[in-house]
Amino acid sequence: MARVLKSLTITSMCALALTACAKTDEPGTAQPAGQQQGPVKIGISLPLTGDFAEPGNGIKDGYQVWADRVNAKGGLLGRKVELIFRDDASDPNRVSSDYESLITQDKVNLVFGPFSSRLVIPAAKVAESYNMLFVEPAGAAKEVFEQGFKRLFYAAPAIASDHYNYLADYLIKLPADQRPKTAAYASLDDPFAQGTAYGLRDKLAAAGIKTVVDEVYPPETTDFSPIAAKIAAAKPDIVVGGTQFEDSVGLVRALQELKVQPKLAAFSTGPTEPEFAAAVKGAAESILSPVGWSATATFTGNQEMIKRHKEMFNGEANEDTANGFTVGQVVEAAVNAAKCVDATKECQDKLADHIRQGTFDTVVGKLSFDDQGRPEQAHMIQQYVGGKVEIVLPEQAKTADLVYPKKPW
Amino acid sequence: MVSLLLQGLALGVLTGGLYALLASGLSLYFGVMRVVMVAHPAFLFLAAYLTYTVHTTLGVDPFLALPVTVPLFFALGVAVQRLLIARLAPDNLAMMSVLLTFGIALTIEGLLGTIYTGSYKSVSMGYATKSLTIGGVHLPYDKIIAFLVAALTLAVLFAVLVKSRFGQALRATIQHREAARLVGIRTERVAGYGFGVGLATAAVGGTVLALITPFFPASHWVWIGKLMAIIVVGGLGSVTGAALAAVLLGVVEGLVLVTVDATWATTMFYVFLFLTLLARPQGFFGGRLAHRF
């Protein structure tokens, strides 16, 4: 008992001493009542290792570039921004405990979302339970918006099923003799990847373009030849892949090997990564992808972000960087408008209300959100034309004409 | 439909050959040392990365990396066995080896991430996306090459195991360690070399993988389940069993893929695993658990 008392005394003395230190360390800077001292802490868990390590690190870069830009301008409401990163290793259980501890232990002022719908849903549940605003860079599957979250916003131009909208319109409007009649779909068993492919499938099917192959493969699939064999047997006019990087490469190679020559080939994620062209060599030519961001666009802060990213990381910014940066831009605008940045329910509600009603100028264009936090815009469509990535749809953003039918691969 | 089945069958056989190569090392470790080597796929991708480096810096065909990676991996295997595995307590070797090699796998993954970053790497050769067409059935060259390399490697492995003195010593060690020691075999040294041979097959397997699939540091996790299923179905420790099970499962996978769908095809590995454990826990091709080739 005596020992317990003694240790209690020591602990409380230390605690008192620490409080005193904290106070004396930061003299001056009087803050408005109810606000904490020190930097604005933003808690983020990202898949820095594991399945989603590549996009996870891209988004981390985007967050860092944004924080650097904000701090260069004097911070959020005059306070420096400090990002606290956790690595959830692409594990939905770890992402939950990460946000739990960021909010309760690190006492962050704000949280930003992780990558992938699979991690966004468990993470947003935690944020919601602490009444925290949850703006996320990569949770586009429709399930994300069906959980009844009140403070979740997806800071990108469109949800998964709207990614191919411009392409669907283009194909449906083609003259009857050029219009494709049959289509093959192969998709990774992942809500986002499936969402993109099925958005296009449903629109084309409604317009009378017949679905002849509709395959779903699990993430551990390593061999795509038999799927390609099925597609080869059906001889479709167009091939659409709901893909991530590895499987987009696997499918393109397998389709090439099995001599499938469709009039159009579109893959969701994969062709948008800089490594894609090297991985499939010349086969990249004419491949289409929906893309939420373009390095050539002149949207608010885009060229500045690209330049600063190059200085900080000595590499090219990509869509993931832009998605992370966009989250920062949206939250920054909300904080400046609501004039508060603390973890209380009142402040977080004010921020969420502002985001629900406002329109935001970001590196991916103007963004606005519906009641469930879905963005209300659509993705651009890119294509490899003459070895270069060009924006081919929509009309007002295009840098080149869409090539159709595609060149053989 | 018939041509689709033939296509599925042909692809299944070719892929099965690759599986046989990838699983052979795993079977060997278990046979010689009762070691469950969870890090085997991580070593496969370590080899894939080394192949990538050799290919991109010297601009040579990926297979020319083999004279570098095979001896390197053999030495690495001997070192891993001598410095780490040999120190595990013999009574719970199988379990502790899982933990130890799990740690090794994570270490390799971390190192690859640090050195090569998390982005995808790939080795694309012109010949890897063409195919040979026989009677309407397309045989991709990369798969044919993988199959031939696997067949050649396994043939060499068998020749070593059956013909050479080292192979005989290794098999004696597998059959009865104490007896082997009594007749003068230095079982510790043999076990180390056995581990080296296992990792040398990983060097070959990794080169083939680099040629047919893009990879990133965490790529190895999807392989461990498949390869484990193969060596259990084949009979733990039986290299022949692993090879036969690999081709069988490759064919089943290929046929299920073209007739049903990809999710079922992947599930077949685990269906076979469970059936094997229920009906014949020692595996279908091996004899007594882990006591034969």
Side-chain angles (χ1 to χ4, degrees), chain B residues 192-262:
Chain B
Y193 291 160
F195 213 89
V197 171
L199 266 199
T201 67
V204 184
T207 302
V208 175
L209 272 182
L211 194 69
I212 64 175
T213 176
F215 42 91
F216 72 112
S219 295
H220 62 108
W221 294 117
V222 303
W223 285 94
I224 190 69
K226 264 185 182 177
L227 298 185
M228 282 292 173
I230 287 169
I231 69 161
V232 172
V233 173
L236 286 164
S238 160
V239 175
T240 324
L244 291 172
V247 176
L248 171 77
L249 284 170
V251 168
V252 169
E253 186 190 29
L255 289 178
V256 172
L257 248 167
V258 294
T259 51
V260 195
D261 66 29

Side-chain angles (χ1 to χ4, degrees), chain A residues 255-272:
Chain A
L255 289 166
Q256 242 187 312
E257 286 171 352
L258 297 186
K259 301 179 180 162
V260 184
Q261 293 293 0
K263 288 187 199 157
L264 177 146
F267 298 90
S268 322
T269 314
T272 51

